[in-house]
Amino acid sequence: MSALAHVPTTGSGPSAPPPAGRHRLLPYLLLLPGAAWLFLFFAVPLVQLAAASLYDPTGTLSTGYTLTWAFGNYPAALQAYWPQFGRSFLYAGIALALALLMGYPLAYAIAQKAGRWKNLLLVCVIAPMFTSFLVRTLAWKTILSDNGALVGLLRDVHLLGPDGRLLATPIAVVLGLTYNFLPFLVLPLYASLERLDYRLLEAARDLYATPLKTFRRVTLPLSMPGLIAGTLLFFIPATGDYINAELLGTPNEYMIGNVIDSAFLVRLDYPQGAALSFLLMSAILAVVFVYLRRAGTEEVL
């Protein structure tokens, strides 16, 4: 009889492969906790906010609100507060431009030129984020105060008049937005520039490209993913921010976030606050969509 006949059928031999269906279900099981979290804490509140935006505007918190599908809440809210909408996008756009002027050279220097100081410089960029957002903004209120050293210096060099000030002006709000959200721009840029192959820059110089042309044709296109991510991470929260305008400005500098905060917490006008929230989300999504389309087209070109 062959020796194979005496091989035991049990033991430590190779086990049968698991059913194919289990492999197909595994990715969905891994997604289940995150999907449940998003459903409970994003989708459900979003639906509730959408319902609140269609409440009867004559209702109150004491008498209750009725869902009357009042779509007129949207044009009424936009007509009442369109200056705050425009101011939000204007301030966020100016702050983003300032952040790019400072953040791109900073990210490039850390990624390509810092050497052994790279980790220290990264810590310096991230360190302010370990402090409360509110505390950082209050610190800027002290820096920009009328009796502060900065205003005194600007008056001495005649960049500000004797009664000139920075606090409670649009400049203060824009500076606060730039400072508070700058790390959100620098870190994605650094991650993109850190992977940049330095040999490509050397090749561009070998082909007699000027530094400006090397940046425009090599460095900028290769850093575009980080640039797109950084600008979105900066612009979106800056547009909806209300702390900087509240602490560094006056009602004349209030953004749409201040109006929404007042509608929910001061005036208790839930339909208007919800309608303004949806209008803000829609406007930001439209801007992001157009920006991504244009950025994607330029990257291909």
Side-chain angles (χ1 to χ4, degrees), residues 95-146:
L96 177 59
L98 291 175
L100 284 172
L101 290 175
M102 295 184 292
Y104 200 104
L106 176 60
Y108 183 85
I110 297 175
Q112 297 290 329
K113 305 295 183 182
R116 61 192 181 93
W117 300 102
K118 181 182 298 186
N119 292 334
L120 177 61
L121 291 175
L122 282 175
V123 170
C124 292
V125 172
I126 301 172
M129 300 179 68
F130 289 97
T131 306
S132 168
F133 188 94
L134 183 63
V135 171
R136 282 183 280 144
T137 308
L138 288 172
W140 269 93
K141 187 173 183 178
T142 302
I143 293 171
L144 301 176
S145 63
D146 295 341

Side-chain angles (χ1 to χ4, degrees), residues 249-268:
T250 66
N252 294 326
E253 287 79 42
Y254 275 4
M255 301 164 65
I256 194 62
N258 300 94
V259 178
I260 295 173
D261 173 71
S262 175
F264 277 114
L265 301 180
V266 179
R267 294 183 282 111
L268 302 180

Side-chain angles (χ1 to χ4, degrees), residues 30-53:
L30 294 175
L31 288 174
L32 186 59
W37 180 274
L38 288 175
F39 176 77
L40 289 175
F41 299 105
F42 178 75
V44 172
L46 194 65
V47 171
Q48 292 178 338
L49 189 67
S53 70

Side-chain angles (χ1 to χ4, degrees), residues 2 8 11 13 53 68 76 88 100 112 114 142 156 161 167 197 210 218 221 240 252 254 270 275 282 285 295-296 298:
S2 172
S53 70
T68 58
S88 298
L100 284 172
Q112 297 290 329
T142 302
D156 291 340
L167 192 63
D197 191 346
T210 62
V218 180
N252 294 326
Y254 275 4
Y270 288 2
S282 301
L285 287 175
E298 292 176 0

Side-chain angles (χ1 to χ4, degrees), residues 3-289:
L4 294 177
H6 300 284
V7 176
T9 57
T10 59
S12 59
S15 59
R22 187 180 302 176
H23 285 295
R24 288 196 297 267
L25 290 176
L26 183 59
Y28 299 100
L29 293 176
L30 294 175
L31 288 174
L32 186 59
W37 180 274
L38 288 175
F39 176 77
L40 289 175
F41 299 105
F42 178 75
V44 172
L46 194 65
V47 171
Q48 292 178 338
L49 189 67
S53 70
L54 301 176
Y55 285 162
D56 183 0
T58 61
T60 63
L61 190 63
S62 57
T63 60
Y65 290 100
T66 304
L67 180 60
T68 58
W69 304 97
F71 289 98
N73 292 338
Y74 287 91
L78 184 60
Q79 183 178 5
Y81 296 106
W82 66 265
Q84 285 81 0
F85 265 104
R87 192 177 300 133
S88 298
F89 284 92
L90 176 63
Y91 287 176
I94 296 174
L96 177 59
L98 291 175
L100 284 172
L101 290 175
M102 295 184 292
Y104 200 104
L106 176 60
Y108 183 85
I110 297 175
Q112 297 290 329
K113 305 295 183 182
R116 61 192 181 93
W117 300 102
K118 181 182 298 186
N119 292 334
L120 177 61
L121 291 175
L122 282 175
V123 170
C124 292
V125 172
I126 301 172
M129 300 179 68
F130 289 97
T131 306
S132 168
F133 188 94
L134 183 63
V135 171
R136 282 183 280 144
T137 308
L138 288 172
W140 269 93
K141 187 173 183 178
T142 302
I143 293 171
L144 301 176
S145 63
D146 295 341
N147 298 322
L150 179 60
V151 171
L153 176 63
L154 294 177
R155 288 173 179 171
D156 291 340
V157 298
H158 303 292
L159 293 178
L160 280 178
D163 297 326
R165 60 184 322 204
L166 293 177
L167 192 63
T169 65
I171 296 175
V173 178
V174 170
L175 289 177
L177 291 172
T178 305
Y179 167 76
N180 279 309
F181 297 108
L182 183 62
F184 294 101
L185 175 68
V186 172
L187 294 178
L189 267 175
Y190 162 78
S192 186
L193 289 167
E194 198 270 338
R195 296 192 297 268
L196 184 64
D197 191 346
Y198 194 74
R199 292 174 297 180
L200 297 175
L201 305 181
E202 292 180 343
R205 287 194 291 266
D206 291 341
L207 295 173
Y208 303 103
T210 62
L212 180 60
K213 193 170 185 179
T214 300
F215 172 78
R216 186 171 60 88
R217 299 295 296 273
V218 180
T219 306
L220 183 59
L222 292 176
S223 65
M224 191 58 69
L227 182 62
I228 293 174
T231 51
L232 292 180
L233 288 173
F234 183 101
F235 182 79
I236 293 173
T239 305
D241 180 72
Y242 66 96
I243 296 295
N244 287 277
E246 180 75 28
L247 297 180
L248 303 179
T250 66
N252 294 326
E253 287 79 42
Y254 275 4
M255 301 164 65
I256 194 62
N258 300 94
V259 178
I260 295 173
D261 173 71
S262 175
F264 277 114
L265 301 180
V266 179
R267 294 183 282 111
L268 302 180
D269 191 347
Y270 288 2
Q272 187 181 76
L276 288 171
S277 300
F278 261 87
L279 287 171
L280 178 61
M281 284 191 290
S282 301
I284 290 177
L285 287 175
V287 171
V288 168
F289 177 77

